Amino acid sequence: MNRPLRRLSLVVAFLFFALFASTTWIQFLRADQLNAMPGNSRQLYAEFGRERGAILVDGGAAIASSVTSDDQYDRLRTYAAGQLYAPVTGYYSLRYGTSGIERAENDVLAGSADELFYRNLSSLLTGEQPKGASVTLTLRPKVQQAAWDALDGRKGAVVALDPDTGDILAMVSSPSYDPNTLATHDGDAEAQSWKSLNADEDDPLINRATGSLYPPGSTFKLVTAAAALESGDYTADTQLDGPQELALPQTSNTLKNDEGTACGPGDKVSLADALKISCNTAFGSLGLKLGADTIESQAAKFGFGQSLSIPTSVATSRYPTGDAVAGPLLAYSAIGQGSDVATPLQVAMLSAGIANDGVVMKPNLIANVRDSDSADVIEEPAPEELGRAVSSGTAKTLQQMMELVVSSGTGTRAQIDGATVGGKTGTAQHGAGLPPYAWFTSFAEKGGKKVAVAVVIEDGGSTESAYGGRLSAPVAKTVMEAALDG
């Protein structure tokens, strides 16, 4: 063989080898990764031929299910309650993939999870498509509906937790969307809905309860109060500096109270009364004395800085460090301003941990996973402790202080006849000239039942209308009543 032919044969051999290597890499080594991509429509086409499992709520009602379709895709995903549960269930779309529980529990719902292998053996032998398992959520329809109705279309979020287990009883985000418009097999309608939803400046596709980070405002004073009590240097009766204006270190600026007055005679106020009337200067001065490390450590025990999965992803709430809490900024961070950010879920965890004797439970959305045919329980998550935030003694003191907020302080609109209710209001500034966010976090107990709730209403009017929980406390009250009566 002459030299040119040998060279050509080497080039051809190399090209065959490159083709073999690339094909092997794509079809075998990267197969799982490519199949898992949300935009892989081919994988979704295959899944649409299967009997996808239903998503249920407490009591067994299906809020997401698959029905027979009269087109080439065999099955159509439908959402019975539309906007009410959309931020939780997410969507199941041919073109745009999945979100929410549809994504987090996709393997189970599609019937391809490892734990379903032996149950699907008969399907493999007969050539039938494996059936998906059903996923039951911890959400209670009555509580979810009450939260949705009480929010009344305003931008914001509501989260209700069982303090003892961490189960999420309600999770509402507003504005919401109708996932049926993304599950449709009409490609043009699907694309138009996607374009419209993404162009909406109110971001209806975002689950504000877990995916949005807000300045927590005065709800964070619970963390600062907890840090003070846990230090052993403070009690509920300890007198704090609560002047009309607090001089801040390294600056000529001052921290002021919303009412423009001192928080007590002689510019002094007890820790309990400071929480009851939400005194900015008292908690600002307390934060300066405690120090950033002490507050950061306490915030972490409540869940700040921790990565959570419920099993949908949760944005990480953060207490600032370094330069963000240096000098005068520490006073602002102690009252939930500055660079503090939290999800509504995290703010609900504050009240839940305090109500649960100081132990914060890991929040959870999944009640159980059941086989589609036999209804046998395949998986049933057990309650899991996230950690102890405060001692039982400190938790009891904080409970009493929060009860004062509701009985005679800024949160009187959350009072419930026959129930023990504790809470904390919050007015979170988030930009010059912009209406503040209106917060309320609370717990309630009646007849052995307990619930913890957090409410945030974006741009909740003027400072005066948001202060005292005028907007957010009544929403929390409605949700707590539904949970205690359910």
Side-chain angles (χ1 to χ4, degrees):
M1 183 182 295
N2 59 34
R3 182 175 297 178
L5 287 177
R6 284 198 300 271
R7 289 178 177 176
L8 179 60
S9 63
L10 289 175
V11 170
V12 172
F14 174 77
L15 291 175
F16 272 109
F17 175 78
L19 178 62
F20 174 78
S22 64
T23 302
T24 301
W25 173 258
I26 294 172
Q27 293 188 350
F28 292 94
L29 299 180
R30 293 196 63 208
D32 291 340
Q33 179 184 351
L34 293 172
N35 281 336
M37 292 177 64
N40 185 352
S41 59
R42 182 178 179 182
Q43 177 68 8
L44 288 175
Y45 292 155
E47 289 183 4
F48 264 70
R50 301 174 183 173
E51 188 174 336
R52 189 172 178 84
I55 301 175
L56 314 171
V57 290
D58 183 57
I63 58 175
S65 57
S66 293
V67 298
T68 302
S69 174
D70 58 2
D71 55 30
Q72 70 269 34
Y73 301 115
D74 294 335
R75 294 189 177 275
L76 174 70
R77 196 66 165 168
T78 62
Y79 300 88
Q83 299 183 61
L84 180 61
Y85 293 99
V88 178
T89 62
Y91 52 79
Y92 183 71
S93 168
L94 276 168
R95 182 174 298 185
Y96 303 109
T98 56
S99 68
I101 289 294
E102 293 280 24
R103 176 179 294 181
E105 295 294 300
N106 181 63
D107 288 350
V108 169
L109 293 168
S112 58
D114 291 342
E115 55 265 39
L116 300 176
F117 176 76
Y118 291 106
R119 296 176 182 269
N120 289 329
L121 276 180
S122 59
S123 297
L124 293 174
L125 294 174
T126 60
E128 297 177 353
Q129 287 279 13
K131 296 180 180 180
S134 64
V135 175
T136 301
L137 306 181
T138 57
L139 299 177
R140 296 182 185 173
K142 181 179 178 181
V143 186
Q144 182 80 0
Q145 189 68 57
W148 175 262
D149 292 343
L151 205 52
D152 195 25
R154 290 170 292 197
K155 285 193 293 184
V158 180
V159 177
L161 298 173
D162 183 332
D164 294 336
T165 64
D167 286 348
I168 299 172
L169 310 181
M171 180 175 285
V172 165
S173 177
S174 176
S176 184
Y177 66 100
D178 184 357
N180 290 295
T181 64
L182 295 176
T184 179
H185 294 168
D186 183 334
D188 291 339
E190 180 187 25
Q192 181 57 43
S193 177
W194 179 258
K195 180 180 179 180
S196 176
L197 290 169
N198 281 278
D200 191 331
E201 60 183 14
D202 288 335
D203 295 322
L205 289 174
I206 293 178
N207 183 352
R208 284 167 159 80
T210 57
S212 293
L213 292 167
Y214 302 91
S218 291
T219 62
F220 191 81
K221 290 173 183 174
L222 292 171
V223 177
T224 304
L229 293 169
E230 285 288 277
S231 72
D233 297 329
Y234 297 84
T235 69
D237 297 323
T238 299
Q239 296 293 303
L240 306 176
D241 295 325
Q244 177 182 345
E245 296 186 24
L246 176 67
L248 299 176
Q250 304 174 18
T251 181
S252 59
N253 294 332
T254 61
L255 176 63
K256 300 178 182 179
N257 292 317
D258 292 331
E259 308 80 19
T261 61
C263 295
D267 291 348
K268 293 290 185 179
V269 63
S270 70
L271 177 59
D273 284 341
L275 190 75
K276 183 176 75 170
I277 64 174
S278 201
C279 178
N280 286 340
T281 57
F283 276 93
S285 64
L286 179 60
L288 292 172
K289 292 175 181 177
L290 290 172
D293 290 344
T294 299
I295 300 176
E296 179 191 4
S297 176
Q298 185 61 70
K301 292 177 181 178
F302 276 108
F304 281 78
Q306 298 195 40
S307 178
L308 296 175
S309 172
I310 61 173
T312 55
S313 60
V314 179
T316 302
S317 302
R318 297 187 303 274
Y319 179 77
T321 58
D323 291 342
V325 284
L329 297 177
L330 177 55
Y332 288 100
S333 69
I335 64 170
Q337 294 287 173
S339 299
D340 300 20
V341 289
T343 61
L345 175 63
Q346 174 61 73
V347 175
M349 290 164 61
L350 294 179
S351 289
I354 292 169
N356 191 38
D357 197 38
V359 176
V360 179
M361 303 300 292
K362 184 180 182 295
N364 170 53
L365 262 174
I366 305 299
N368 59 63
V369 175
R370 293 180 179 271
D371 181 87
S372 59
D373 289 329
S374 64
D376 290 341
V377 175
I378 300 170
E379 180 184 355
E380 190 169 21
E384 181 181 345
E385 290 186 10
L386 195 65
R388 175 168 285 281
V390 294
S391 67
S392 58
T394 294
K396 184 64 176 178
T397 299
L398 288 170
Q399 290 171 21
Q400 294 169 347
M401 291 167 58
M402 292 176 71
E403 289 165 19
L404 284 175
V405 171
V406 174
S407 64
S408 57
T410 59
T412 56
R413 285 174 171 79
Q415 294 175 5
I416 299 173
D417 290 341
T420 300
V421 183
K424 182 68 193 79
T425 55
T427 306
Q429 308 296 332
H430 61 102
L434 297 175
Y437 297 143
W439 278 101
F440 195 73
T441 184
S442 56
F443 65 82
E445 182 173 5
K446 180 181 180 181
K449 295 181 179 179
K450 290 195 294 185
V451 63
V453 174
V455 176
V456 64
I457 298 176
E458 296 183 20
D459 303 331
S462 65
T463 299
E464 290 74 22
S465 68
Y467 179 76
R470 288 186 175 92
L471 289 178
S472 50
V475 175
K477 174 183 178 178
T478 298
V479 176
M480 290 187 290
E481 286 177 327
L484 295 176
D485 293 341

